[in-house]
Amino acid sequence: MEGKQQQQLPPPPPGSAVPGAGGEERRSEEGKDAAGGGALGRPLGPTPSQSRFQVDLVAEAAGRPAEEPRKGSGEGGAAGKGSEEAKGRFRVNFVDPSAGDESPGEPGGGSSEGGNVSFQNGGDTVLSEGSLHSGGHHHYYYDTHTNTYYLRTFGHNTMDAVPRIDHYRHTAADLGEKLIRPSLAELHDELDKEPFEDGYANGEEGTPAGEAAATYTPDSKGVVKFGWIKGVLVRCMLNIWGVMLFIRLSWIVGQAGIGLSVLVIGMATVVTTITGLSTSAIATNGFVRGGGAYYLISRSLGPEFGGAIGLIFAFANAVAVAMYVVGFAETVVELLKENGTLMVDEMNDIRIIGAITVVILLGISVAGMEWEAKAQIVLLVILILAIGDFVIGTFIPLDSKKPKGFFGYKAEIFMENFGPDFRHEETFFSVFAIFFPAATGILAGANISGDLADPQSAIPKGTLLAILITTLVYVGIAVSVGSCVVRDATGNVNNTIVTELTNCTTAACKLNYDFSSCQTGCQYGLMNNFQVMSMVSGFAPLISAGIFSATLSSALASLVSAPKIFQALCKDNIYPGFQMFAKGYGKNNEPLRGYLLTFLIALGFILIAELNVIAPIISNFFLASYALINFSVFHASLAKSPGWRPAFKYYNMWISLVGAILCCIVMFVINWWAALLTYVIVLGLYIYVTYKKPDVNWGSSTQALTYLNALQHSIRLSGVEDHVKNFRPQCLIMTGAPNARPALLHLVHAFTKNVGLMICGHVHMGPRRQAMKELSTDLAKYQRWLIKNKMKAFYAPVHAEDLRDGGQYLMQAAGLGRMRPNTLVVGFKKNWRQGDMRDVETYINLFHDAFDVQYGVVVIRLKEGLDISHLQGQEELLSSQEKSPCTKDVIVKVDYSKKSETDTSIAFAPSSSERTPTLHKEEDEDGKTPTQPLLKKGSKSPSSPLNLADQRLLDASTQFQKKQGKSNIDVWWLFDDGGLTLLIPYLLTTKKKWKDCKIRVFIGGKINRIDHDRRAMATLLSKFRIDFSDIMVLGDINTKPKKENIAAFEEMIEPYRLHEDDKEQEVADKMKEDEPWRITDNELELYKTKTYRQIRLNELLKEHSSTANIIVMSLPVARKGAVSSALYMAWLEALSKDLPPILLVRGNHQSVLTFYS
């Protein structure tokens, strides 16, 4: 399309079948097939075919009849061998009537050039509306007289994409490329405009660590993937059947008896089965990548638990290698000792043999997964032969073995061995603790999840079947060994009973053997001989081979698991120090560095050779991960996230919770100090990762549960009536961009943090299309900025024609249920005299609107000003170069030349009268603003040094971030507004930065009752339980202000007066109508007293409060429609000029303080 012919396959002979995009075969009239981009290099997937259609566009002008689709559209064109493997890819072949040749499709995910958007979905050829209207090289006109669609395939004559798996991929996975569906903007926006520039849907950006280009198609040749038998079943069986089977099981039967042994095995199986079910549920809830238990837990519970478990699970596997290798070495050394061929001494021989063994195992692992899998199969065969050898041996009782306690299957022995006979201070739980590690190993298959062809079906099938088979074998061997061998035997042939004894009680006695001398101690029998299974077996060396096989296979599985888990952990960059281990090599992305690290850890522990201390810690590490896998399933089910829908249905959230609790109990049963140590390590790592806050978002169940709790509590809160005791200032601050007015933000945050709601309102004006793009990018960017700066606030942008509309929208719609703002906070409009008076009208009307909806109003003024946005541009660009790459926010920058539209977020804080071009800020590449105060004190911008005023402004912008020291908060509570004027300063003093400040209260009164008024106020404050350092009654508020101050005020308002007395009535009326903010002579006369009061208060403030840290004062209220905006603005200016930071506060005249309990 649009003349782009990027790749065309050579034409085959006419009429031949050509394999197409998904493996289907197609035939065109001219024997040619146009290869779409999606057909190139895509590996065929094993998924069964969904429906496919074949459609040909035939040119009637050429006079060729339409060829009937061979098998009919209803059968989906399912001809051809490859069709079963296709993944539902569609193709439409277009024939150009003029060219007489087929046009090949475009590869890639859609090109956008102006409005001509031609979209190609990996083999689909799609025409956009754009290509019908605007110019291009050659186009298809849908004209019934020239072209006819026969059996038009649904979804192929439009730019809209039909549902398809490639749209839902995260990155270029090995299953095929990620395609990007057309964005809503591309479908919906006007054609002559540029479409949106992003293509990602909700939170699908992928992790920052490994984002690949969306169109990249990986080369999948040579990658080794395992099925469920080789990958999971074999591995799990080998890992579960350990040395325990051959060396310790007979001793457990001797101690606990057959009955309790079966119970021990059953209890262990219950724990592993519940964990197996939970693992299956998580593994089938979406695509599983490499990393096994770590991947499952981190994607379910989040990086905190995942990171903690990933590290200890990888370490546990590394040390388990040492444990299994030492088990192997001990057996070899036993054999050497029997034959008297020790090399040095027992301990050093174990070290030498262990070191050699682990080097060989490392070689097998590094050779590649295919070799490792072959070695596992060989070991499994040896293991099964050894078990078979034992079973056959039980049926062949030899006389030579009877003195050693083996008599073949006898009911007497079964009855005697059924009950327990605990000796040497063993108990049921100590025996259980010894057996339980033999049941672990169920995650051996899940640990190599990245190397499985289909982890979703392989992990449940393989793991659960392995648990079933190994449990049956354990029970079978326990019962058979308990039925054949007595507990004690001397091994002495002379202990046969010649004369019949009358008081025969033991089974051996009934079988004519007297082992009564074993009270002192024997070497044979279940209790004394660990090698009972070799003694019973038909061919003893096979049992030794079985022991070697069990230990080496477990060691090999652990040696492969540990690096794979560690590599997945490092790829996610949860512990930045380990980043170097994320690198993989070769086709299978083998973690060679991880192998080396695992090898060194294992070698270290082999050289220590004291594994009795290590073993319980390892078991507990495994159990901790089992507990968390179970808890993950419970947590995800509890959170009711719509994304939790496992394909494996045989799980239950409560059973998973029981499984998690059982795992924790078993940890203590096995070894209480190791359990405590494990808890401490997991907790420590959890706190570390939480503190570090890795920049990942995996949609964990923790997020889902947080949302659910917030939702439920919000709804519950809505059903509760407000009470004055629970009143909180919930502030809607009109900040514009939050980082533009840091002083405003930090001061309000000081009294709302952990107390009330804080919403940063940002009104976007200007062209709607541009503003809509800014809204979406700003929302994510500024909310992130607030969080990074530890601001407990929400960011709420709206688009409106002007500031007043935007303010109204926010006041009416911001918040949720009971968590709605009740106080509007604005910065003082410092530059009101230089700007357009219509802006002042809008600004003052906001106050009226707030009072209309029963909001309180707070106006904050700093004499230096609040708005630092014109100083920010260059600093932000500098800091953006230092930041690490992360998910990109596409920010569309458009410069507006009109003065009124330049600042798309005009708020009410000062800014220079000339809007500077840097005001339309260039944001960082990744849409994140610097996390700390944006401009450091005294920092110089690269282009021009700061002038004195700007330097002061910068200093002032950070003043509320510092500790305030021992100073005063002066509260001028002149009018009773319900108590908000008093509550805000009280809340300030509860915060750490303000706690040393003292509250001084100023009230108006009469000169002859000053003491009475002071006592009355002191009583009120003490009833409110608010500490104050002083109360001052001002008796001279109504004194006339100084003449020069009155003159200065009159000079200030002169440009805004109407002077209607000097004009004709008609002219004056017309002027008032056009400029409603003008001050009439009548109004000035009427409010003369109020005007003088504001000027006088300013004099008093300078006299009494010029050294205060902050002043909180009652805001004068102007009657709507009676007081013009200019006069009201002049009052505020006169009242608050040349003072320390001042808050003008007016509550909504409903009580916010009470002295009732």
Side-chain angles (χ1 to χ4, degrees), residues 538-559:
F539 182 60
L542 248 184
I543 297 291
S544 297
I547 293 172
F548 295 163
S549 163
T551 50
L552 292 179
S553 63
S554 298
L556 199 53
S558 298
L559 185 58

Side-chain angles (χ1 to χ4, degrees), residues 24-251:
E24 308 102 297
E25 295 178 10
R26 293 193 191 76
R27 202 175 298 179
S28 75
E29 274 104 26
E30 297 177 36
K32 292 180 184 177
D33 189 312
L40 306 175
R42 171 180 291 130
L44 295 178
T47 20
S49 153
Q50 293 150 8
S51 57
R52 283 173 308 287
F53 302 90
Q54 175 182 352
V55 173
D56 288 336
L57 178 64
V58 182
E60 284 183 345
R64 291 192 294 272
E67 181 182 289
E68 283 293 315
R70 271 166 307 142
K71 291 226 176 175
S73 159
E75 291 173 42
K81 295 175 191 168
S83 64
E84 283 312 306
E85 294 181 8
K87 288 188 182 162
R89 295 183 179 81
F90 300 96
R91 161 157 319 196
V92 182
N93 294 335
F94 288 99
V95 180
D96 188 331
S98 56
D101 197 301
E102 290 186 10
S103 160
E106 289 176 25
S111 67
S112 317
E113 290 150 19
N116 294 350
V117 184
S118 93
F119 225 77
Q120 161 95 10
N121 290 318
D124 309 351
T125 311
V126 183
L127 290 179
S128 74
E129 296 109 2
S131 58
L132 303 181
H133 306 311
S134 15
H137 292 100
H138 61 274
H139 289 296
Y140 302 94
Y141 295 91
Y142 291 110
D143 179 356
T144 49
H145 296 292
T146 53
N147 288 349
T148 309
Y149 248 110
Y150 287 100
L151 299 164
R152 185 185 304 181
T153 305
F154 171 71
H156 286 272
N157 53 341
T158 167
M159 204 177 129
D160 238 345
V162 288
R164 138 172 217 172
I165 192 170
D166 296 316
H167 295 140
Y168 293 89
R169 297 198 193 288
H170 268 237
T171 49
D174 22 355
L175 303 176
E177 70 254 57
K178 173 178 173 63
L179 296 179
I180 298 174
R181 67 178 73 80
S183 71
L184 197 55
E186 285 169 329
L187 295 174
H188 170 253
D189 284 4
E190 300 155 36
L191 275 169
D192 57 342
K193 301 278 175 70
E194 189 182 327
F196 261 70
E197 295 179 17
D198 58 349
Y200 287 119
N202 311 326
E204 281 184 13
E205 294 93 345
T207 54
E211 187 71 34
T215 50
Y216 161 73
T217 311
D219 179 11
S220 58
K221 290 172 194 160
V223 175
V224 180
K225 296 286 183 187
F226 301 115
W228 70 274
I229 295 179
K230 214 185 210 185
V232 184
L233 181 69
V234 170
R235 251 163 231 289
C236 287
M237 281 165 57
L238 281 169
N239 231 14
I240 295 169
W241 282 331
V243 205
M244 209 58 78
L245 179 64
F246 297 105
I247 297 180
R248 288 284 185 280
L249 193 58
S250 55
W251 176 85

Side-chain angles (χ1 to χ4, degrees), residues 1049-1084:
F1049 181 83
E1050 284 173 349
E1051 187 190 330
M1052 175 171 69
I1053 63 169
E1054 184 57 39
Y1056 312 113
R1057 289 184 61 177
L1058 184 61
H1059 290 299
E1060 73 269 26
D1061 295 349
D1062 305 343
K1063 296 184 174 69
E1064 289 181 19
Q1065 180 71 32
E1066 233 174 84
V1067 175
D1069 288 352
K1070 179 81 174 76
M1071 202 171 173
K1072 181 67 178 168
E1073 194 179 321
D1074 292 346
E1075 299 176 338
W1077 42 265
R1078 285 207 176 267
I1079 306 167
T1080 62
D1081 298 344
N1082 182 30
E1083 172 190 10
L1084 203 55

Side-chain angles (χ1 to χ4, degrees), residues 625-641:
S625 46
Y626 294 176
L628 277 180
I629 287 176
N630 285 315
F631 184 69
S632 300
V633 171
F634 168 73
H635 202 269
S637 306
L638 187 69
K640 299 188 179 75
S641 170

Side-chain angles (χ1 to χ4, degrees), residues 1104-1124:
H1104 296 289
S1105 295
S1106 55
T1107 59
N1109 252 21
I1110 195 163
I1111 302 167
V1112 182
M1113 185 171 198
S1114 298
L1115 171 76
V1117 177
R1119 191 170 294 285
K1120 204 168 24 172
V1123 180
S1124 59

Side-chain angles (χ1 to χ4, degrees), residues 822-1059:
N822 53 27
T823 308
L824 177 73
V825 182
V826 294
F828 182 76
K829 193 170 183 63
K830 187 185 176 199
N831 64 335
W832 67 278
R833 284 186 282 173
Q834 289 87 9
D836 187 340
M837 284 305 288
R838 278 174 302 197
D839 291 346
V840 176
E841 180 79 4
T842 302
Y843 176 74
I844 298 301
N845 280 333
L846 260 178
F847 294 15
H848 296 312
D849 295 339
F851 291 137
D852 286 345
V853 291
Q854 293 292 300
Y855 269 50
V857 172
V858 178
V859 182
I860 297 177
R861 179 173 190 178
L862 270 61
K863 59 173 175 275
E864 299 85 0
L866 289 165
D867 187 358
I868 64 164
S869 57
H870 60 289
L871 307 175
Q872 258 176 307
Q874 305 99 330
E875 292 290 325
E876 287 189 21
L877 283 179
L878 275 183
S879 60
S880 73
Q881 289 155 15
E882 298 159 15
K883 292 186 71 68
S884 58
C886 198
T887 321
K888 301 260 185 274
D889 285 345
V890 182
I891 295 168
V892 188
K893 303 177 195 70
V894 176
D895 288 328
Y896 295 108
S897 51
K898 287 185 197 166
K899 189 169 154 188
S900 63
E901 291 173 355
T902 312
D903 180 9
T904 54
S905 59
I906 304 165
F908 328 113
S911 57
S912 52
S913 56
E914 287 301 315
R915 297 260 181 226
T916 51
T918 49
L919 197 57
H920 198 87
K921 292 187 292 299
E922 297 275 326
E923 289 300 347
D924 303 19
E925 265 293 297
D926 61 357
K928 291 185 184 179
T929 42
T931 57
Q932 287 324 322
L934 285 159
L935 286 166
K936 299 189 178 52
K937 221 161 113 179
S939 63
K940 302 283 182 206
S941 128
S943 53
S944 58
L946 294 176
N947 60 32
L948 194 59
D950 283 345
Q951 188 57 57
R952 281 186 183 148
L953 173 59
L954 269 185
D955 291 346
S957 72
T958 59
Q959 67 183 352
F960 299 124
Q961 297 171 41
K962 309 185 190 98
K963 195 161 171 57
Q964 297 302 307
K966 293 190 175 179
S967 184
N968 292 319
I969 298 176
D970 285 359
V971 182
W972 291 63
W973 196 17
L974 305 177
F975 306 105
D976 191 347
D977 59 351
L980 188 63
T981 314
L982 195 58
L983 182 63
I984 287 175
Y986 164 73
L987 290 173
L988 276 177
T989 58
T990 61
K991 296 297 184 284
K992 196 161 63 179
K993 287 187 178 114
W994 294 83
K995 70 177 191 312
D996 295 335
C997 294
K998 297 278 187 289
I999 293 178
R1000 292 196 303 179
V1001 181
F1002 294 79
I1003 54 170
K1006 291 183 182 168
I1007 291 180
N1008 56 355
R1009 325 179 15 160
I1010 282 180
D1011 280 352
H1012 175 270
D1013 289 347
R1014 183 185 283 122
R1015 277 199 301 276
M1017 180 51 69
T1019 308
L1020 182 60
L1021 291 177
S1022 61
K1023 283 203 168 177
F1024 284 147
R1025 306 169 303 286
I1026 289 177
D1027 291 332
F1028 58 91
S1029 65
D1030 195 10
I1031 293 176
M1032 195 167 285
V1033 182
L1034 304 164
D1036 50 354
I1037 285 181
N1038 292 329
T1039 314
K1040 196 173 177 186
K1042 294 174 186 162
K1043 281 205 176 101
E1044 62 267 29
N1045 291 338
I1046 295 174
F1049 181 83
E1050 284 173 349
E1051 187 190 330
M1052 175 171 69
I1053 63 169
E1054 184 57 39
Y1056 312 113
R1057 289 184 61 177
L1058 184 61
H1059 290 299

Side-chain angles (χ1 to χ4, degrees), residues 624-780:
S625 46
Y626 294 176
L628 277 180
I629 287 176
N630 285 315
F631 184 69
S632 300
V633 171
F634 168 73
H635 202 269
S637 306
L638 187 69
K640 299 188 179 75
S641 170
W644 172 252
R645 38 181 196 278
F648 182 84
K649 299 294 179 198
Y650 307 103
Y651 72 94
N652 178 285
M653 62 186 283
W654 300 108
I655 289 176
S656 293
L657 180 64
V658 168
I661 294 166
L662 282 177
C663 288
C664 294
I665 293 169
V666 172
M667 285 169 75
F668 276 101
V669 167
I670 288 178
N671 191 312
W672 66 267
W673 61 260
L676 286 177
L677 184 67
T678 308
Y679 285 141
V680 168
I681 293 172
V682 172
L683 194 64
L685 290 170
Y686 178 88
I687 291 167
Y688 170 80
V689 178
T690 309
Y691 173 72
K692 280 287 182 187
K693 285 197 179 64
D695 191 10
V696 291
N697 179 6
W698 295 321
S700 66
S701 60
T702 316
Q703 292 171 355
L705 196 62
T706 306
Y707 172 83
L708 193 67
N709 286 339
L711 183 66
Q712 287 171 345
H713 285 109
S714 303
I715 291 167
R716 196 176 306 157
L717 196 62
S718 299
V720 180
E721 284 301 315
D722 285 331
H723 191 280
V724 63
K725 276 198 294 187
N726 290 329
F727 175 85
R728 299 158 185 271
Q730 310 209 94
C731 298
L732 169 63
I733 328 174
M734 304 301 272
T735 54
N739 55 8
R741 297 172 176 83
L744 187 66
L745 205 64
H746 284 103
L747 182 55
V748 178
H749 190 246
F751 64 81
T752 58
K753 181 186 174 187
N754 296 334
V755 173
L757 180 71
M758 174 166 149
I759 296 179
C760 300
H762 187 172
V763 180
H764 287 261
M765 291 170 287
R768 184 173 183 279
R769 180 185 179 77
Q770 167 66 12
M772 285 302 156
K773 289 181 183 176
E774 283 180 3
L775 283 187
S776 54
T777 52
D778 282 2
L779 186 60

